[in-house]
Amino acid sequence: MMKRLLSELCRPIALLMMTTCMPHLSAQVSVEEVFIKAPVSVLPTIDTNTRLDMVDYFKGGMTTDSPTTLNGAARVTALDNRHIEFLTSDNGRIAMWPVKYGKDSVTVVVKTVDIPASDSRVELYGWPEWRLIDSGDCGVIADWVIDPARKEGRVEDVENALGFMTATASFDPASGKITYVPTVAGVITEAEFEKVAPYVQKSRTFKLKPGKGIVPEK
């Protein structure tokens, strides 16, 4: 109880320090600050106090869930000096990385929904104004067809077999690269996927390019 009370008393001070430090931010922004300061447009179902609770629980070694505004359960699952990962519901999760972007700082946000198959969307925001710079998902099926199969006219065959494309995204802050790995095999039957699997790329890689946003890696 005493630990909880002290935490509540210290919160206004912590928030004030974050606000005061904002104009002096360099390329390396505090991960916790990025999470707590994210606007409603980015994290609409988790208010500021709930986010503070989530961080406190994680640091305290607890797996306690925090309620969202939609009566869901949110919880931090990973937190270090480079990124934070957290659940937003039974089927949703988000990861955030504050990184250098040319002379500026930006936040890479990977939002993943796990039903019917895991599927991610990547968003890139300016700091500290949280201006959306760029965003994207795994793309359409045609983007995933390997070049030899394109030349053989296999694109339509792949599209007919898959129906749509899903993929999970991961981000490497050291290289600034985003990698999508397809998950569509979990949506259709194994037999249908095996027919076109040789024509589909195993992964697709993008990179952050200052002034350009999120661009495919050649």
Side-chain angles (χ1 to χ4, degrees):
M1 179 65 73
M2 181 60 68
K3 182 178 179 181
R4 176 73 175 180
L5 179 60
L6 289 173
S7 175
E8 293 291 341
L9 291 174
C10 290
R11 283 182 178 179
I13 299 174
L15 288 172
L16 178 61
M17 290 176 65
M18 288 181 183
T19 305
T20 304
C21 292
M22 271 189 173
H24 309 290
L25 284 173
S26 61
Q28 185 56 51
V29 181
S30 162
V31 174
E32 290 181 35
E33 182 175 357
V34 165
F35 174 57
I36 294 168
K37 289 291 185 179
V40 173
S41 58
V42 178
L43 296 180
T45 65
I46 309 176
D47 62 38
T48 300
N49 284 332
T50 300
R51 297 177 206 177
L52 288 164
D53 282 339
M54 291 166 64
V55 171
D56 286 346
Y57 292 146
F58 182 84
K59 288 184 173 181
M62 295 180 282
T63 58
T64 305
D65 290 333
S66 296
T68 69
T69 56
L70 295 178
N71 296 319
R75 175 166 52 88
V76 173
T77 56
L79 174 62
D80 55 34
N81 62 354
R82 305 195 78 171
H83 86 306
I84 184 171
E85 297 178 27
F86 52 97
L87 304 178
T88 57
S89 67
D90 291 342
N91 308 313
R93 49 196 166 93
I94 294 177
M96 295 179 166
W97 293 261
V99 295
K100 190 174 182 180
Y101 185 73
K103 296 181 180 180
D104 302 317
S105 291
V106 295
T107 301
V108 176
V109 180
V110 177
K111 297 180 176 180
T112 304
V113 177
D114 293 315
I115 288 182
S118 297
D119 194 36
S120 299
R121 182 172 187 80
V122 180
E123 299 171 348
L124 181 64
Y125 292 93
W127 179 267
E129 76 283 3
W130 284 93
R131 174 180 59 87
L132 181 63
I133 297 173
D134 200 1
S135 65
D137 54 23
C138 65
V140 297
I141 296 172
D143 296 336
W144 287 83
V145 179
I146 61 176
D147 288 338
R150 287 176 182 276
K151 295 176 182 178
E152 295 174 7
R154 298 283 188 177
V155 173
E156 187 173 351
D157 293 338
V158 178
E159 290 176 334
N160 289 337
L162 299 185
F164 58 92
M165 197 70 198
T166 60
T168 53
S170 60
F171 176 66
D172 177 14
S175 63
K177 294 182 180 181
I178 299 161
T179 302
Y180 282 94
V181 176
T183 58
V184 69
V187 180
I188 62 176
T189 66
E190 183 177 352
E192 284 297 313
F193 184 72
E194 286 180 352
K195 292 178 183 178
V196 297
Y199 310 132
V200 178
Q201 297 180 58
K202 303 299 183 184
S203 65
R204 297 184 67 214
T205 304
F206 296 75
K207 61 183 178 181
L208 302 184
K209 188 173 183 179
K212 300 289 186 179
I214 302 169
V215 299
E217 184 178 45
K218 296 181 180 180

